[in-house]
Amino acid sequence: MLVHSRKGKWTLWALFLVLFVPLFALPLLVIVAASFATNWSGAFPSGPTVEHYAAATRGESLEALTTSLVTALAASLLALLMGSWAALAAHALPKRGKRLLDTLFVLPVAVPSVVVGLAVLVAFSQPPFLLNGTRWIVILAHTVLVTAFAYQSVSAAIVRLDPAYEQAAASLGAKPSYVLWKVKLPLLLPSLNAAAGLCFALSMGELSATMMLYPPDWMPLPVRIFTATDRGSLFTGSAVAVVLMGATLLVLLAVSRIRTRASYR
Amino acid sequence: MSGGSDIGIRFDGVSVAYGANTVLDSLDLTVERGEVMALLGPSGSGKTTALRAVAGFVQPVRGRVLIGDRDVTDLPPHRRGVGMVVQSYALFPHLRVEDNVAFGLKAQKADKAGIPARVAEALEMTGMAGYAKRYPRELSGGQQQRVAIARALAIRPGVLLLDEPLSALDAQLRSGMLAELARLHRELPEVSILYVTHDQVEALTLADRIAVMDQARLQDCGTPQELYRSPRTEFTASFVGNANLLPVRVGDGQVRLGDAELTVDTAGVAAGTTATLCVRPHLVGLGEGVNALRGTVAEVQWRGATHRLYVDVAGQRVKADVRELRVPPALGERVALHFAPEDAVLLSAGVSADE
């Protein structure tokens, strides 16, 4: 408790609400409000309806939701696998090698995602790696983009892991592979889980790289929202956005439930 | 595992260095089978490094490490067959007590059917049988300590390495665990124990022999009685128990401190040289007697059962632990102290100055 006086606490709460509500909560509320409206010309939306949701959970929109979920799931699992592998390998390297890997894995974050999208497009438009026009190019681009985050969060967790566990296991006769599966990975599980959630959420919302790559039969939800609002269907777009938000939050909630069961301290 | 050999652990000229910084300097030491060897020294003395060289977590730059009659210098830690208990216990937090204890057996692919019995045996031995289903976080420090020992013993190692195992416990638990460790050692007479500690009481209580380490080197090695009663160096004298270390001029059969003439055994120390006289404070008495030291009282500390007197004698401060006095001397009062000739050890300057 930094502030002790009752008055000070109330002032801080008020300041928090004044800053938080307009910046974070209101825009989201506006989308929710718009998704139920047919008309918004005054201060408040009018003509309440649930028709947009009927449209947002059917046909093309439903397909786009499935596309997004599958893409995000595949990309985050691949990213988790590669990111953790690389982080574990980097930890075993001498200092210079580790720094090199750290730099390599920060690249997809440092480079604008449009550029990553373009790079993937150019790289995989020629045989023998002809992925352009397939769903795989979208999944690949998402994987590249989110692996960096997986690498960083797992890497941070490995550094925090007390080497005494590994050494105790080794002194008990456990081979390095046994130590990895039975000690290190279980102890890293909460961090792996958090990394998976982060990757999933990032992939669900990815638009700029996806725009450059998606084939007609693999349109993720953010692209669908963009095209809908671009055509002027603001209220339908809002409803689809709320669906995207809801789906992502549901998955994150499920993931965090697993996490509380997996944390030991 | 250690075959018919009488060697438990042997250090053969083992040096460990990080860059130019030597943390263990050509250690030669043999721990016999079934022996408890304490590595005693201040922090940074190289004692933990020596233990880690046995476990395989540091690689010596020179020398060999033997366990039994096996040269393990180039073996990875998991092939050395040592049990280890560290200060932080390092119990696996995601495993129940029984799975922690079974870990080594499963890792070594021991016969599955035999595992529960050996886990139960190890837990029984450490008095933790009732806690098999608990998680480490549900145990107190002392209980975690017992589980860590059970886990190390379950693999039936020929060698047990204990790295400051009691330093995270409070004083009362510590003396209880010391007794437990002594009992465990009686029950497992074949196991060699290397016990790293900075606490002289632990070393004196538990060890068959003590190796005193300082500044990356082995300073002295012997039974607790030898080191305590007749230390060979000033460092040993001051680190194993308390000691008055007084600079004296050596004569023939006697030494001089200021103008006091003291009768002590001067064998092995040349007459006319300067040497250090080592007398334990609790062997110094108050009042006149043979080997009297007269001086003024500088400080008096009451310690319940004893009084600790600090007396300035010929520019030296002499400590004396005497049985609680009804009327302790006042500060500045002139008093006499005495000690029996056989209670003093004369350390020649040559021996103490080798560091």
Side-chain angles (χ1 to χ4, degrees), chain A residues 242-260:
Chain A
V242 172
V243 169
L244 174 64
M245 208 154 69
T248 310
L249 280 178
L250 266 179
V251 173
L252 287 186
L253 212 67
V255 164
S256 80
R257 275 192 74 99
I258 302 174
R259 177 151 73 246
T260 31

Side-chain angles (χ1 to χ4, degrees), chain B residues 246-299:
Chain B
L246 308 169
V248 291
R249 295 283 308 168
V250 183
D252 189 18
Q254 37 83 18
V255 296
R256 294 188 74 84
L257 174 68
D259 28 304
E261 207 157 87
L262 308 168
T263 313
V264 297
D265 181 9
T266 56
V269 184
T273 58
T274 312
T276 303
L277 189 69
C278 166
V279 192
R280 301 288 178 191
H282 71 277
L283 297 174
V284 177
L286 183 62
E288 292 290 340
V290 281
N291 290 342
L293 296 167
R294 292 177 192 84
T296 54
V297 177
E299 203 183 329

Side-chain angles (χ1 to χ4, degrees), chain A residues 152-170:
Chain A
Q152 276 168 13
S153 48
V154 177
S155 201
I158 291 173
V159 172
R160 283 199 308 269
L161 197 64
D162 187 347
Y165 292 123
E166 202 180 334
Q167 294 179 350

Side-chain angles (χ1 to χ4, degrees), chain A:
Chain A
M1 280 284 148
L2 275 169
V3 180
H4 289 282
S5 77
R6 182 175 288 252
K7 211 170 150 192
K9 275 180 195 163
W10 281 113
T11 320
L12 271 185
W13 271 110
L15 188 68
F16 167 72
L17 287 176
V18 165
L19 289 174
F20 175 83
V21 170
L23 281 178
F24 295 92
L26 267 184
L28 297 178
L29 282 177
V30 166
I31 291 181
V32 175
S35 69
F36 287 107
T38 45
N39 198 351
W40 196 331
S41 41
F44 292 98
S46 51
T49 174
V50 289
E51 236 169 71
H52 306 310
Y53 280 98
T57 50
R58 249 205 323 260
E60 274 182 33
S61 293
L62 184 64
E63 228 166 74
L65 176 64
T66 322
T67 302
S68 264
L69 286 172
V70 171
T71 306
L73 193 71
S76 46
L77 285 181
L78 281 171
L80 196 63
L81 186 69
M82 293 195 298
S84 323
W85 190 347
L88 284 165
H91 189 63
L93 286 177
K95 227 174 213 159
R96 196 172 297 176
K98 178 170 188 327
R99 212 171 296 154
L100 180 73
L101 267 187
D102 284 349
T103 316
L104 279 179
F105 273 95
V106 98
L107 272 183
V109 186
V111 172
S113 47
V114 181
V115 179
V116 175
L118 184 63
V120 170
L121 183 67
V122 173
F124 293 96
S125 290
Q126 296 288 334
F129 300 114
L130 184 58
L131 294 180
N132 193 5
T134 69
R135 62 190 62 175
W136 299 112
I137 198 164
V138 178
I139 294 174
L140 178 77
H142 280 219
T143 306
V144 169
L145 282 169
V146 298
T147 300
F149 294 96
Y151 174 84
Q152 276 168 13
S153 48
V154 177
S155 201
I158 291 173
V159 172
R160 283 199 308 269
L161 197 64
D162 187 347
Y165 292 123
E166 202 180 334
Q167 294 179 350
S171 79
L172 291 166
K175 279 186 282 206
S177 58
Y178 195 87
V179 177
L180 178 67
W181 285 108
K182 299 288 180 171
V183 177
K184 278 172 106 175
L185 286 179
L187 291 180
L188 288 173
L189 204 59
S191 310
L192 295 176
N193 184 294
L198 178 68
C199 291
F200 185 87
L202 286 169
S203 171
M204 281 297 276
E206 216 299 318
L207 176 65
S208 40
T210 318
M211 288 282 286
M212 320 200 55
L213 299 164
Y214 77 95
D217 64 340
W218 197 255
M219 182 200 274
L221 215 47
V223 182
R224 171 101 189 130
I225 297 169
F226 177 77
T227 50
T229 48
D230 203 35
R231 279 201 314 263
S233 320
L234 202 63
F235 301 125
T236 317
S238 297
V240 179
V242 172
V243 169
L244 174 64
M245 208 154 69
T248 310
L249 280 178
L250 266 179
V251 173
L252 287 186
L253 212 67
V255 164
S256 80
R257 275 192 74 99
I258 302 174
R259 177 151 73 246
T260 31
R261 286 188 46 205
S263 61
Y264 313 105
R265 277 164 287 189

